[in-house]
Amino acid sequence: MKRRRLLSSISAAAVLLAVTAVGARSMGFGDAAVAATNGTLATTAGCGKAPTLTSGTRTIQSGGQSRSYILRIPDGYDRNRPYRLIVGFHWLNGSASNVASAGYYGLAPLANNSAIFVAPQGLNAGWANTNGRDVTLFDDISRQIENDLCVDTTQRFVLGFSYGGAMSYAVACARPTAVRAVAVLAGANLSGCNGGTQPVAYFGIHGTYDSVLNISQGRSLRDTFVRNNGCTAQNPPEPNRGSLTHITTTYSGCRTGYPVQWAAFDGDHTPSPVDGSSSPNDSRTWTSGEIWRFFTQFSSTPPTTTPPTTTPPTTTPPTTTPPTTPPPSTSCVATYRTVNSWPGGFQAEVTVANNTATTINGWTVRLTLASGQAISSLWNGTNTGTTGTITVRNAPYNGTVGVNASTTFGFTATGDGATPASDITCTSP
């Protein structure tokens, strides 16, 4: 079942989502994961063992019931390598199979075999979390996997859409030391929040005219972790109706290691919005790329390299006065990344960020492609040139970028994607 076809079934059953959890019982699993908050590498009992688990549907006894989940182990799994663990919860009337078949919200292709993925199956195709039963399932699945496979316990992540977003929020509340970060797509407080007072890195995504779970409900979840993470309170900018774009805001003032991001998009209840289009699309949505960047910003372990003991030179530095001309100011910053590659071609994305104190209206990015690379298609912008030095200007709907917000454009190209673009600049207007 495609996620974009679920709106009617989700809407019809929305009244059922008022049932919330009573709370999760305390488990030792969370206590064993304190390393997730102090940046030290903590590996699991499964490291170094020949695994007995295999990819596919698994059954497990949890809370006196037979439950199930779908497991995806990386190709070429290395028993001595600690992997990320990413758990994706399905939406109401969805299934673990839906999540797995859609690449775990599009993260599996981006992971390039660097993560173990899990899609649990909810009872009655939902996450009521009655008496904390679904948080207990999260504990039990995690324990089963980590006793058999090698996981970096500082790199556990949870995400989900709609009811799955509600469940992700419940896990963040109840297991703040067990998960490093969560991403909640179009969620609400439907699965309870047992605890909810400790910091967790949080990324909320919501449509401005969500007809199933109003955006105000998503803002409420976000604000829980704005407070918990010590961030400076603000009202992030959100796109206008009809703009067909999104605005991502990174909160300031948050505790080190506990960022909060908020992405509002001009759209309805979907996990797969596309800038410039009113039709959701799993393969073209910007959500998977932004979530993956949010999850992968966290380091597993601090540097352990011993600093050199060589005595530094004692030569007196020159006394020449440095030039006093200030560097030119820029109104936007462009960041390039390769999203995917294949023999003879690749896909890239450029993020245009506004780091100034005022909204920018219109932007222009210039970059130089490596020899042999040529753009074949480009979206969310208008390009001049396809090879060598090219210029990309904003589309009509994404030229306005608020303070501390960003937008993206992407393209596919022929050639070898291993060499990134160079000489990247961004100006406005």
mmCIF file of all heavy atoms in Angstrom, residues 19-63:
data_model
loop_
_atom_site.group_PDB
_atom_site.id
_atom_site.type_symbol
_atom_site.label_atom_id
_atom_site.label_comp_id
_atom_site.label_asym_id
_atom_site.label_seq_id
_atom_site.Cartn_x
_atom_site.Cartn_y
_atom_site.Cartn_z
ATOM 1 N N VAL A 19 -6.921 7.733 21.684
ATOM 2 C CA VAL A 19 -6.532 6.821 22.746
ATOM 3 C C VAL A 19 -5.047 6.969 22.981
ATOM 4 O O VAL A 19 -4.252 6.789 22.089
ATOM 5 C CB VAL A 19 -6.848 5.360 22.353
ATOM 6 C CG1 VAL A 19 -6.448 4.420 23.479
ATOM 7 C CG2 VAL A 19 -8.337 5.219 22.063
ATOM 8 N N THR A 20 -4.656 7.311 24.165
ATOM 9 C CA THR A 20 -3.246 7.510 24.465
ATOM 10 C C THR A 20 -2.782 6.479 25.470
ATOM 11 O O THR A 20 -3.558 5.818 26.145
ATOM 12 C CB THR A 20 -3.002 8.914 25.027
ATOM 13 O OG1 THR A 20 -3.775 9.074 26.207
ATOM 14 C CG2 THR A 20 -3.414 9.986 24.030
ATOM 15 N N ALA A 21 -1.455 6.400 25.566
ATOM 16 C CA ALA A 21 -0.878 5.390 26.444
ATOM 17 C C ALA A 21 -0.950 5.820 27.896
ATOM 18 O O ALA A 21 -0.901 7.000 28.214
ATOM 19 C CB ALA A 21 0.576 5.167 26.059
ATOM 20 N N VAL A 22 -1.048 4.861 28.746
ATOM 21 C CA VAL A 22 -1.021 5.143 30.176
ATOM 22 C C VAL A 22 0.405 5.390 30.629
ATOM 23 O O VAL A 22 0.667 6.146 31.540
ATOM 24 C CB VAL A 22 -1.631 3.959 30.946
ATOM 25 C CG1 VAL A 22 -1.493 4.152 32.442
ATOM 26 C CG2 VAL A 22 -3.085 3.779 30.547
ATOM 27 N N GLY A 23 1.375 4.788 29.940
ATOM 28 C CA GLY A 23 2.776 4.998 30.303
ATOM 29 C C GLY A 23 3.531 3.707 30.210
ATOM 30 O O GLY A 23 2.957 2.628 30.254
ATOM 31 N N ALA A 24 4.838 3.822 30.053
ATOM 32 C CA ALA A 24 5.678 2.639 29.880
ATOM 33 C C ALA A 24 6.340 2.266 31.188
ATOM 34 O O ALA A 24 6.779 3.119 31.944
ATOM 35 C CB ALA A 24 6.734 2.922 28.822
ATOM 36 N N ARG A 25 6.419 0.991 31.419
ATOM 37 C CA ARG A 25 7.095 0.545 32.636
ATOM 38 C C ARG A 25 8.602 0.676 32.452
ATOM 39 O O ARG A 25 9.124 0.616 31.354
ATOM 40 C CB ARG A 25 6.716 -0.906 32.963
ATOM 41 C CG ARG A 25 7.081 -1.914 31.893
ATOM 42 C CD ARG A 25 6.493 -3.280 32.192
ATOM 43 N NE ARG A 25 6.766 -4.247 31.170
ATOM 44 C CZ ARG A 25 7.821 -5.026 31.135
ATOM 45 N NH1 ARG A 25 8.734 -4.930 32.080
ATOM 46 N NH2 ARG A 25 7.997 -5.902 30.165
ATOM 47 N N SER A 26 9.294 0.857 33.542
ATOM 48 C CA SER A 26 10.736 1.067 33.481
ATOM 49 C C SER A 26 11.441 -0.219 33.097
ATOM 50 O O SER A 26 11.086 -1.298 33.552
ATOM 51 C CB SER A 26 11.231 1.541 34.846
ATOM 52 O OG SER A 26 12.626 1.667 34.860
ATOM 53 N N MET A 27 12.438 -0.091 32.205
ATOM 54 C CA MET A 27 13.195 -1.250 31.754
ATOM 55 C C MET A 27 14.678 -0.965 31.909
ATOM 56 O O MET A 27 15.122 0.176 31.819
ATOM 57 C CB MET A 27 12.892 -1.550 30.271
ATOM 58 C CG MET A 27 11.441 -1.916 29.995
ATOM 59 S SD MET A 27 10.986 -3.521 30.641
ATOM 60 C CE MET A 27 11.872 -4.581 29.514
ATOM 61 N N GLY A 28 15.469 -2.022 32.090
ATOM 62 C CA GLY A 28 16.910 -1.865 32.214
ATOM 63 C C GLY A 28 17.577 -1.449 30.933
ATOM 64 O O GLY A 28 18.691 -0.952 30.932
ATOM 65 N N PHE A 29 16.911 -1.660 29.803
ATOM 66 C CA PHE A 29 17.499 -1.339 28.514
ATOM 67 C C PHE A 29 17.932 0.116 28.446
ATOM 68 O O PHE A 29 19.023 0.440 28.019
ATOM 69 C CB PHE A 29 16.497 -1.636 27.398
ATOM 70 C CG PHE A 29 16.947 -1.202 26.046
ATOM 71 C CD1 PHE A 29 17.891 -1.933 25.357
ATOM 72 C CD2 PHE A 29 16.437 -0.053 25.480
ATOM 73 C CE1 PHE A 29 18.311 -1.526 24.100
ATOM 74 C CE2 PHE A 29 16.852 0.360 24.224
ATOM 75 C CZ PHE A 29 17.788 -0.386 23.542
ATOM 76 N N GLY A 30 17.066 1.031 28.877
ATOM 77 C CA GLY A 30 17.404 2.446 28.823
ATOM 78 C C GLY A 30 18.585 2.773 29.733
ATOM 79 O O GLY A 30 19.445 3.580 29.382
ATOM 80 N N ASP A 31 18.641 2.153 30.890
ATOM 81 C CA ASP A 31 19.732 2.425 31.812
ATOM 82 C C ASP A 31 21.074 2.006 31.242
ATOM 83 O O ASP A 31 22.101 2.600 31.533
ATOM 84 C CB ASP A 31 19.491 1.688 33.142
ATOM 85 C CG ASP A 31 18.228 2.168 33.832
ATOM 86 O OD1 ASP A 31 17.839 3.326 33.611
ATOM 87 O OD2 ASP A 31 17.627 1.381 34.582
ATOM 88 N N ALA A 32 21.059 0.980 30.397
ATOM 89 C CA ALA A 32 22.320 0.491 29.820
ATOM 90 C C ALA A 32 22.814 1.368 28.694
ATOM 91 O O ALA A 32 23.894 1.164 28.166
ATOM 92 C CB ALA A 32 22.136 -0.938 29.305
ATOM 93 N N ALA A 33 22.038 2.363 28.326
ATOM 94 C CA ALA A 33 22.370 3.174 27.163
ATOM 95 C C ALA A 33 22.791 4.583 27.510
ATOM 96 O O ALA A 33 22.747 5.473 26.676
ATOM 97 C CB ALA A 33 21.177 3.225 26.216
ATOM 98 N N VAL A 34 23.227 4.811 28.732
ATOM 99 C CA VAL A 34 23.609 6.151 29.133
ATOM 100 C C VAL A 34 24.726 6.692 28.259
ATOM 101 O O VAL A 34 24.853 7.889 28.038
ATOM 102 C CB VAL A 34 24.038 6.159 30.622
ATOM 103 C CG1 VAL A 34 24.592 7.510 31.033
ATOM 104 C CG2 VAL A 34 22.835 5.808 31.488
ATOM 105 N N ALA A 35 25.532 5.801 27.691
ATOM 106 C CA ALA A 35 26.617 6.246 26.819
ATOM 107 C C ALA A 35 26.113 7.024 25.629
ATOM 108 O O ALA A 35 26.857 7.775 25.007
ATOM 109 C CB ALA A 35 27.431 5.049 26.333
ATOM 110 N N ALA A 36 24.842 6.889 25.299
ATOM 111 C CA ALA A 36 24.286 7.630 24.164
ATOM 112 C C ALA A 36 24.332 9.126 24.393
ATOM 113 O O ALA A 36 24.269 9.900 23.453
ATOM 114 C CB ALA A 36 22.849 7.194 23.902
ATOM 115 N N THR A 37 24.433 9.546 25.641
ATOM 116 C CA THR A 37 24.420 10.979 25.918
ATOM 117 C C THR A 37 25.792 11.528 26.259
ATOM 118 O O THR A 37 25.933 12.723 26.414
ATOM 119 C CB THR A 37 23.479 11.273 27.095
ATOM 120 O OG1 THR A 37 23.984 10.640 28.284
ATOM 121 C CG2 THR A 37 22.079 10.783 26.825
ATOM 122 N N ASN A 38 26.826 10.675 26.369
ATOM 123 C CA ASN A 38 28.120 11.223 26.753
ATOM 124 C C ASN A 38 29.171 11.091 25.669
ATOM 125 O O ASN A 38 30.331 11.414 25.887
ATOM 126 C CB ASN A 38 28.621 10.576 28.061
ATOM 127 C CG ASN A 38 28.834 9.080 27.942
ATOM 128 O OD1 ASN A 38 29.039 8.561 26.853
ATOM 129 N ND2 ASN A 38 28.804 8.392 29.077
ATOM 130 N N GLY A 39 28.768 10.616 24.477
ATOM 131 C CA GLY A 39 29.667 10.627 23.340
ATOM 132 C C GLY A 39 30.702 9.532 23.332
ATOM 133 O O GLY A 39 31.607 9.538 22.506
ATOM 134 N N THR A 40 30.647 8.571 24.258
ATOM 135 C CA THR A 40 31.621 7.491 24.259
ATOM 136 C C THR A 40 31.079 6.295 23.502
ATOM 137 O O THR A 40 29.884 6.031 23.515
ATOM 138 C CB THR A 40 31.951 7.066 25.708
ATOM 139 O OG1 THR A 40 30.743 6.668 26.358
ATOM 140 C CG2 THR A 40 32.570 8.230 26.464
ATOM 141 N N LEU A 41 31.965 5.583 22.830
ATOM 142 C CA LEU A 41 31.565 4.437 22.052
ATOM 143 C C LEU A 41 31.140 3.309 22.976
ATOM 144 O O LEU A 41 31.862 2.931 23.882
ATOM 145 C CB LEU A 41 32.720 3.980 21.153
ATOM 146 C CG LEU A 41 32.430 2.778 20.260
ATOM 147 C CD1 LEU A 41 31.353 3.143 19.240
ATOM 148 C CD2 LEU A 41 33.688 2.333 19.541
ATOM 149 N N ALA A 42 29.957 2.777 22.765
ATOM 150 C CA ALA A 42 29.461 1.661 23.572
ATOM 151 C C ALA A 42 28.913 0.623 22.620
ATOM 152 O O ALA A 42 27.947 0.883 21.913
ATOM 153 C CB ALA A 42 28.387 2.130 24.537
ATOM 154 N N THR A 43 29.543 -0.533 22.592
ATOM 155 C CA THR A 43 29.114 -1.577 21.675
ATOM 156 C C THR A 43 28.307 -2.623 22.420
ATOM 157 O O THR A 43 28.284 -2.666 23.644
ATOM 158 C CB THR A 43 30.321 -2.228 20.994
ATOM 159 O OG1 THR A 43 31.229 -2.717 21.986
ATOM 160 C CG2 THR A 43 31.056 -1.209 20.130
ATOM 161 N N THR A 44 27.651 -3.480 21.654
ATOM 162 C CA THR A 44 26.718 -4.433 22.237
ATOM 163 C C THR A 44 27.312 -5.833 22.336
ATOM 164 O O THR A 44 28.376 -6.119 21.776
ATOM 165 C CB THR A 44 25.449 -4.489 21.381
ATOM 166 O OG1 THR A 44 25.798 -4.839 20.036
ATOM 167 C CG2 THR A 44 24.761 -3.132 21.362
ATOM 168 N N ALA A 45 26.584 -6.711 23.021
ATOM 169 C CA ALA A 45 27.048 -8.085 23.218
ATOM 170 C C ALA A 45 27.201 -8.828 21.898
ATOM 171 O O ALA A 45 27.948 -9.795 21.801
ATOM 172 C CB ALA A 45 26.073 -8.831 24.127
ATOM 173 N N GLY A 46 26.490 -8.372 20.853
ATOM 174 C CA GLY A 46 26.575 -9.046 19.566
ATOM 175 C C GLY A 46 27.844 -8.776 18.794
ATOM 176 O O GLY A 46 28.124 -9.458 17.793
ATOM 177 N N CYS A 47 28.638 -7.808 19.221
ATOM 178 C CA CYS A 47 29.872 -7.494 18.499
ATOM 179 C C CYS A 47 30.866 -8.647 18.628
ATOM 180 O O CYS A 47 31.116 -9.158 19.728
ATOM 181 C CB CYS A 47 30.490 -6.208 19.026
ATOM 182 S SG CYS A 47 29.502 -4.736 18.672
ATOM 183 N N GLY A 48 31.397 -9.063 17.515
ATOM 184 C CA GLY A 48 32.363 -10.162 17.489
ATOM 185 C C GLY A 48 31.747 -11.532 17.363
ATOM 186 O O GLY A 48 32.454 -12.525 17.176
ATOM 187 N N LYS A 49 30.414 -11.628 17.461
ATOM 188 C CA LYS A 49 29.735 -12.922 17.380
ATOM 189 C C LYS A 49 29.261 -13.204 15.965
ATOM 190 O O LYS A 49 28.905 -12.295 15.226
ATOM 191 C CB LYS A 49 28.525 -12.942 18.315
ATOM 192 C CG LYS A 49 28.858 -12.888 19.788
ATOM 193 C CD LYS A 49 27.619 -12.671 20.638
ATOM 194 C CE LYS A 49 26.517 -13.668 20.371
ATOM 195 N NZ LYS A 49 25.350 -13.459 21.257
ATOM 196 N N ALA A 50 29.264 -14.486 15.615
ATOM 197 C CA ALA A 50 28.640 -14.882 14.354
ATOM 198 C C ALA A 50 27.133 -14.737 14.520
ATOM 199 O O ALA A 50 26.540 -15.344 15.420
ATOM 200 C CB ALA A 50 29.006 -16.318 14.010
ATOM 201 N N PRO A 51 26.475 -13.922 13.717
ATOM 202 C CA PRO A 51 25.051 -13.648 13.944
ATOM 203 C C PRO A 51 24.162 -14.835 13.630
ATOM 204 O O PRO A 51 24.459 -15.648 12.743
ATOM 205 C CB PRO A 51 24.771 -12.492 12.984
ATOM 206 C CG PRO A 51 25.761 -12.663 11.879
ATOM 207 C CD PRO A 51 26.995 -13.194 12.543
ATOM 208 N N THR A 52 23.075 -14.941 14.374
ATOM 209 C CA THR A 52 22.056 -15.943 14.071
ATOM 210 C C THR A 52 20.823 -15.299 13.445
ATOM 211 O O THR A 52 20.044 -15.979 12.777
ATOM 212 C CB THR A 52 21.642 -16.694 15.350
ATOM 213 O OG1 THR A 52 21.094 -15.760 16.293
ATOM 214 C CG2 THR A 52 22.834 -17.395 15.980
ATOM 215 N N LEU A 53 20.638 -13.997 13.661
ATOM 216 C CA LEU A 53 19.529 -13.286 13.031
ATOM 217 C C LEU A 53 19.824 -13.055 11.559
ATOM 218 O O LEU A 53 20.976 -12.846 11.168
ATOM 219 C CB LEU A 53 19.283 -11.948 13.719
ATOM 220 C CG LEU A 53 18.792 -11.980 15.163
ATOM 221 C CD1 LEU A 53 18.698 -10.554 15.715
ATOM 222 C CD2 LEU A 53 17.437 -12.676 15.263
ATOM 223 N N THR A 54 18.787 -13.066 10.751
ATOM 224 C CA THR A 54 18.909 -12.783 9.329
ATOM 225 C C THR A 54 17.850 -11.751 8.934
ATOM 226 O O THR A 54 16.873 -11.543 9.652
ATOM 227 C CB THR A 54 18.714 -14.057 8.490
ATOM 228 O OG1 THR A 54 17.431 -14.628 8.806
ATOM 229 C CG2 THR A 54 19.809 -15.074 8.779
ATOM 230 N N SER A 55 18.062 -11.122 7.807
ATOM 231 C CA SER A 55 17.084 -10.150 7.317
ATOM 232 C C SER A 55 15.764 -10.855 7.028
ATOM 233 O O SER A 55 15.735 -12.007 6.593
ATOM 234 C CB SER A 55 17.598 -9.477 6.046
ATOM 235 O OG SER A 55 18.744 -8.702 6.305
ATOM 236 N N GLY A 56 14.667 -10.137 7.294
ATOM 237 C CA GLY A 56 13.341 -10.697 7.049
ATOM 238 C C GLY A 56 12.427 -10.480 8.238
ATOM 239 O O GLY A 56 12.764 -9.767 9.190
ATOM 240 N N THR A 57 11.267 -11.097 8.208
ATOM 241 C CA THR A 57 10.290 -10.953 9.285
ATOM 242 C C THR A 57 10.674 -11.833 10.465
ATOM 243 O O THR A 57 10.931 -13.023 10.305
ATOM 244 C CB THR A 57 8.884 -11.326 8.790
ATOM 245 O OG1 THR A 57 8.535 -10.476 7.692
ATOM 246 C CG2 THR A 57 7.861 -11.161 9.895
ATOM 247 N N ARG A 58 10.709 -11.232 11.651
ATOM 248 C CA ARG A 58 11.071 -11.941 12.875
ATOM 249 C C ARG A 58 9.890 -11.876 13.845
ATOM 250 O O ARG A 58 9.108 -10.923 13.834
ATOM 251 C CB ARG A 58 12.287 -11.301 13.554
ATOM 252 C CG ARG A 58 13.393 -10.821 12.642
ATOM 253 C CD ARG A 58 14.083 -11.934 11.912
ATOM 254 N NE ARG A 58 14.502 -13.014 12.790
ATOM 255 C CZ ARG A 58 15.144 -14.108 12.361
ATOM 256 N NH1 ARG A 58 15.386 -14.258 11.068
ATOM 257 N NH2 ARG A 58 15.503 -15.037 13.204
ATOM 258 N N THR A 59 9.752 -12.883 14.672
ATOM 259 C CA THR A 59 8.744 -12.872 15.734
ATOM 260 C C THR A 59 9.444 -12.788 17.080
ATOM 261 O O THR A 59 10.584 -13.228 17.243
ATOM 262 C CB THR A 59 7.859 -14.129 15.688
ATOM 263 O OG1 THR A 59 8.694 -15.290 15.807
ATOM 264 C CG2 THR A 59 7.087 -14.197 14.387
ATOM 265 N N ILE A 60 8.737 -12.200 18.051
ATOM 266 C CA ILE A 60 9.318 -12.009 19.367
ATOM 267 C C ILE A 60 8.194 -12.000 20.386
ATOM 268 O O ILE A 60 7.090 -11.522 20.107
ATOM 269 C CB ILE A 60 10.123 -10.682 19.413
ATOM 270 C CG1 ILE A 60 10.873 -10.528 20.732
ATOM 271 C CG2 ILE A 60 9.223 -9.488 19.147
ATOM 272 C CD1 ILE A 60 11.830 -9.336 20.746
ATOM 273 N N GLN A 61 8.461 -12.536 21.558
ATOM 274 C CA GLN A 61 7.519 -12.469 22.656
ATOM 275 C C GLN A 61 7.763 -11.175 23.431
ATOM 276 O O GLN A 61 8.884 -10.911 23.871
ATOM 277 C CB GLN A 61 7.669 -13.678 23.585
ATOM 278 C CG GLN A 61 7.236 -14.985 22.958
ATOM 279 C CD GLN A 61 5.751 -14.980 22.602
ATOM 280 O OE1 GLN A 61 4.893 -14.634 23.413
ATOM 281 N NE2 GLN A 61 5.449 -15.381 21.375
ATOM 282 N N SER A 62 6.722 -10.379 23.569
ATOM 283 C CA SER A 62 6.864 -9.106 24.266
ATOM 284 C C SER A 62 5.588 -8.815 25.038
ATOM 285 O O SER A 62 4.494 -8.825 24.459
ATOM 286 C CB SER A 62 7.123 -7.978 23.252
ATOM 287 O OG SER A 62 7.224 -6.727 23.904
ATOM 288 N N GLY A 63 5.722 -8.609 26.338
ATOM 289 C CA GLY A 63 4.565 -8.310 27.176
ATOM 290 C C GLY A 63 3.525 -9.415 27.155
ATOM 291 O O GLY A 63 2.323 -9.139 27.258
#
